[in-house]
Amino acid sequence: MTPALTKMTKIEVVVSGSDTPAVRELISSVGATGYTSLSGVSGLGHHGYRQGRLLFNQQATLELIITVVPDEKADALLAGLRPLLDASSGVMFVSDTYVSRPEYFS
């Protein structure tokens, strides 16, 4: 028998290191209980290939920030992230996810 799972929303954002503090602040402002941040990610997109290694400082790299929030908090976070991403390079992925311990995210 599978344990009961609770549906939530996972939001993944890839931004430059200089935009990372703003994303973290937005996540906190909607009442998210945490996030995972991976520095030095690499990828290929509209701005060409970006390597994951540090060049001169932490702000010159890309960072992947992942958070999981209850569905009712997702819209507020997306509304805050959208203008940030419209003004700079970055990408956002939003998906349904299921968690086994919902109290960790509320």
Side-chain angles (χ1 to χ4, degrees):
M1 180 174 193
T2 306
L5 298 175
T6 302
K7 182 179 169 291
M8 297 209 174
T9 301
K10 179 169 64 169
I11 300 171
E12 301 169 90
V13 184
V14 178
V15 292
S16 68
S18 60
D19 289 327
T20 298
V23 173
R24 290 178 180 165
E25 185 177 311
L26 283 167
I27 290 170
S28 295
S29 74
V30 300
T33 58
Y35 57 84
T36 298
S37 186
L38 303 168
S39 299
V41 297
S42 61
L44 177 66
H46 289 282
H47 295 276
Y49 180 73
R50 299 278 300 264
Q51 293 185 349
R53 62 187 167 85
L54 289 175
L55 297 174
F56 302 106
N57 60 48
Q58 189 74 15
Q59 294 186 351
T61 66
L62 293 178
E63 191 150 339
L64 169 62
I65 305 157
I66 305 163
T67 192
V68 173
V69 294
D71 291 344
E72 63 271 8
K73 293 182 180 181
D75 287 340
L77 181 52
L78 297 175
L81 288 170
R82 188 62 194 237
L84 175 74
L85 294 172
D86 286 344
S88 63
S89 64
V91 66
M92 173 173 53
F93 305 100
V94 181
S95 57
D96 292 337
T97 194
Y98 296 85
V99 300
S100 61
R101 296 184 281 189
E103 65 275 9
Y104 281 32
F105 303 92
S106 299

